[in-house]
Amino acid sequence: MVIKVFLASSSGSTAIKKKQQDVVGFLEALKVDYTPLDIACNEDNRMWMRQNVPEDKKPANGIPLPPQIFNEESYCGDYDTFFDAKEDNLVYTFLGLPPPPGSKEGQAEEEEEQEEEDLQSEEEEELRQLESAPCGQGLKSGGGRGRRRRVGRNTGGRGGVVEAKRC
């Protein structure tokens, strides 16, 4: 996957220059491979960027300003969305890249996956208990965490009491 950063090498705006430097410097610090594409000297780059920024992401005048960031053909965002992702430690997600092992973003992903696995295991155990219960007898389940759940309803694993087995 190639990250494309559309830049203007000869911008007269100090704000645009600073934003471009911020994006490029951060990508280099993270050792993310990227390709800088100049829209000031290359009309094809300018036209491609303008055509591929989604309409809902373009400013009121319809002309997106650099820096604009893409992963191959997929639009990632502009400086503001990059900055938000940077502040939230979600730059790899923003770029559509897998986070490296040991990164904050990678650790958060691993914790979320573990929580989902734990919840699924609890639900499977509750179903086994319910299936093995005598007819008409309900099971009260806390799943080891003091929670009660309702089996047979879409509660997202929250609240309720396990229903009685129907015979």
Side-chain angles (χ1 to χ4, degrees), residues 10-163:
S10 60
S11 174
S13 168
T14 306
I16 288 176
K17 287 178 185 177
K18 286 182 179 180
K19 290 176 180 181
Q20 291 177 160
Q21 289 172 347
D22 188 27
V23 169
V24 168
F26 199 76
L27 292 176
E28 288 175 355
L30 292 178
K31 297 182 177 139
V32 172
D33 289 330
Y34 71 95
T35 302
L37 299 168
D38 191 2
I39 65 168
C41 298
N42 186 318
E43 185 65 25
D44 291 338
N45 287 343
R46 181 181 318 155
M47 294 309 296
W48 192 93
M49 180 193 82
R50 288 182 179 178
Q51 291 170 353
N52 288 284
V53 171
E55 289 299 323
D56 62 324
K57 304 294 182 183
K58 291 182 181 178
N61 69 2
I63 301 173
L65 298 173
Q68 297 291 328
I69 306 160
F70 290 80
N71 183 334
E72 296 286 342
E73 310 294 312
S74 177
Y75 182 70
C76 298
D78 61 3
Y79 175 78
D80 292 331
T81 52
F82 175 82
F83 182 82
D84 291 343
K86 186 171 109 173
E87 289 293 306
D88 295 336
N89 291 317
L90 296 172
V91 172
Y92 291 99
T93 301
F94 167 80
L95 295 172
L97 300 173
S103 69
K104 287 182 181 180
E105 201 170 335
Q107 290 171 351
E109 237 177 55
E110 290 170 9
E111 288 172 8
E112 188 175 309
E113 288 173 5
Q114 184 61 45
E115 286 175 8
E116 288 175 12
E117 288 175 14
D118 291 348
L119 182 59
Q120 185 176 1
S121 295
E122 286 177 19
E123 290 172 349
E124 289 171 359
E125 178 60 28
E126 287 175 359
L127 285 173
R128 279 194 290 275
Q129 288 178 5
L130 184 60
E131 289 171 353
S132 65
C135 290
Q137 189 172 15
L139 297 174
K140 192 174 172 183
S141 174
R145 295 186 183 178
R147 294 185 296 206
R148 294 181 185 180
R149 296 198 184 121
R150 184 176 305 273
V151 174
R153 290 193 178 181
N154 186 10
T155 61
R158 293 173 184 75
V161 176
V162 176
E163 293 179 347

